[in-house]
Amino acid sequence: MTDQTYQPTLSQLRAFVAIAEYRHFGTAAARLSVSQPTLSQSLASLENGLKLQLIERSTRRVLVTAAGKRLLPQAMATLEAADRFIASAVGDGLGGTLRLGIIPTVAPYVLPAVLPELRHRFPAMVPHVIEDQTARLLDGLRSGVLDVALLALPSDTGGMVEIPLYSEEFVLVVPEGHELSGRGGLSPAVLDELPLLLLDEGHCLRDQTLDLCRAQDVRPGPVGDTRAASLSTVVQCVAGGLGVTLIPEMAVAAETARGALQIARFAAPAPGRTLGLVFRGSTARTEDYEQLAEVIRTHRPV
């Protein structure tokens, strides 16, 4: 029976929630910026205090027990309440820890300008940046592991609030000397039968590109087994003559500066995406995130 005088710490609850979310001790520890032994000790202390097993772990898998599933929503609610308390105590805008999730096709181009500005305007803020794919960022928001995420809209996730930031066009990147090099006013139909290189599964830019192809009834040509986890790799594959690709406008300057590359642009309305901030509707920090949104809008890549 649980000792009714036992009081779990927030660190213990965060450890439990993160492990339940990621089902992997190493990943959970990385997300919380703690060592794996520290994470394991926090969970063990919580389970010992409650006299309950919350997580079942073996060498191959991590499972949430029936007791863990029953208590997980309450642990998340407790952490949410603690976050509200801290936000109210800070009282001067973006102060304290901010756990910001951001998708890989945005992070390298937004962070160089945004992070220094946040340090300048909000010196009391301690940002923790977590770069990951959209689905995992949304899971992190739901579980309380993240505070806010910068990603492509719509998120199509219940219980979340979205602040649209800005829209940007997609640009076609081709090898130097390609017949489309330097052209403008293109129709997406030009992608038909072109060897179109895509990011790995799970990246929203991949899904957006495939949605565009389906909407235009475009069937890109084969690219073999070429796969990439980053825009930089995809673009360098283009430079190497393996195909063509679509990248967001914000990435053009950085990604085409190296290698024999050229761009081509689509006619208006060009295909593109809308970026925005996403956070839990239950948070007390809406005004803070509106300030964050304004910083990102003002310092967007050009």
Side-chain angles (χ1 to χ4, degrees):
M1 178 179 293
T2 301
D3 180 358
Q4 304 242 340
T5 64
Y6 169 69
Q7 296 291 322
T9 67
L10 292 178
S11 296
Q12 292 168 358
L13 293 179
R14 290 198 192 281
F16 166 46
V17 169
I19 295 167
E21 173 62 33
Y22 293 105
R23 309 295 175 96
H24 189 278
F25 277 68
T27 302
R31 291 296 181 267
L32 294 179
S33 299
V34 299
S35 68
Q36 195 165 324
T38 297
L39 183 84
S40 298
Q41 182 57 50
S42 293
L43 176 65
S45 298
L46 179 63
E47 291 180 323
N48 290 336
L50 296 175
K51 303 294 190 292
L52 291 171
Q53 184 180 16
L54 305 175
I55 299 293
E56 180 183 334
R57 58 272 208 197
S58 68
T59 56
R60 294 188 175 182
R61 61 180 184 174
V62 174
L63 298 175
V64 183
T65 66
K69 291 178 181 177
R70 176 171 57 85
L71 293 175
L72 182 59
Q74 297 174 59
M76 293 169 60
T78 300
L79 293 174
E80 185 72 47
D83 288 343
R84 288 197 205 105
F85 175 80
I86 294 171
S88 298
V90 171
D92 60 350
L94 283 166
T97 299
L98 178 75
R99 298 165 297 171
L100 171 65
I102 185 166
I103 55 176
T105 57
V106 171
Y109 318 111
V110 166
L111 293 179
V114 167
L115 287 180
E117 181 63 17
L118 289 177
R119 263 198 316 270
H120 173 69
R121 290 185 54 180
F122 307 103
M125 188 186 72
V126 182
H128 293 180
V129 176
I130 298 90
E131 183 186 55
D132 213 332
Q133 296 177 4
T134 298
R136 288 196 285 267
L137 293 181
L138 291 171
D139 286 343
L141 287 173
R142 282 190 291 264
S143 67
V145 173
L146 294 177
D147 298 313
V148 61
L150 173 55
L151 41 79
L153 303 181
S155 64
D156 295 324
T157 304
M160 298 292 169
V161 174
E162 298 177 355
I163 302 178
L165 297 173
Y166 51 84
S167 297
E168 61 175 349
E169 298 180 355
F170 292 152
V171 176
L172 181 64
V173 180
V174 299
E176 195 172 58
H178 193 278
E179 61 180 349
L180 296 177
S181 175
R183 291 181 56 183
L186 298 178
S187 164
V190 300
L191 299 175
D192 196 42
E193 297 187 1
L194 285 180
L196 185 61
L197 297 167
L198 301 172
L199 286 170
D200 251 342
E201 291 185 6
H203 290 274
C204 59
L205 182 59
R206 173 191 177 91
D207 296 335
Q208 292 156 358
T209 301
L210 292 174
D211 288 344
L212 170 65
C213 291
R214 283 189 287 266
Q216 297 290 326
D217 197 24
V218 166
R219 293 176 174 79
V223 293
D225 294 326
T226 299
R227 298 168 58 190
S230 73
L231 275 185
S232 295
T233 300
V234 172
V235 170
Q236 290 311 305
C237 287
V238 173
L242 302 185
V244 303
T245 196
L246 294 181
I247 67 174
E249 180 72 46
M250 70 166 61
V252 170
E255 298 301 344
T256 61
R258 296 170 295 136
L261 296 161
Q262 299 290 332
I263 64 171
R265 296 185 179 274
F266 296 98
R273 66 181 180 180
T274 298
L275 298 177
L277 290 179
V278 180
F279 52 91
R280 293 180 298 278
S282 58
T283 186
R285 303 188 68 181
T286 299
E287 291 185 5
D288 292 350
Y289 301 149
E290 288 173 347
Q291 292 182 66
L292 175 62
E294 186 55 34
V295 170
I296 296 173
R297 282 195 200 99
T298 305
H299 292 81
R300 59 178 290 186
V302 294

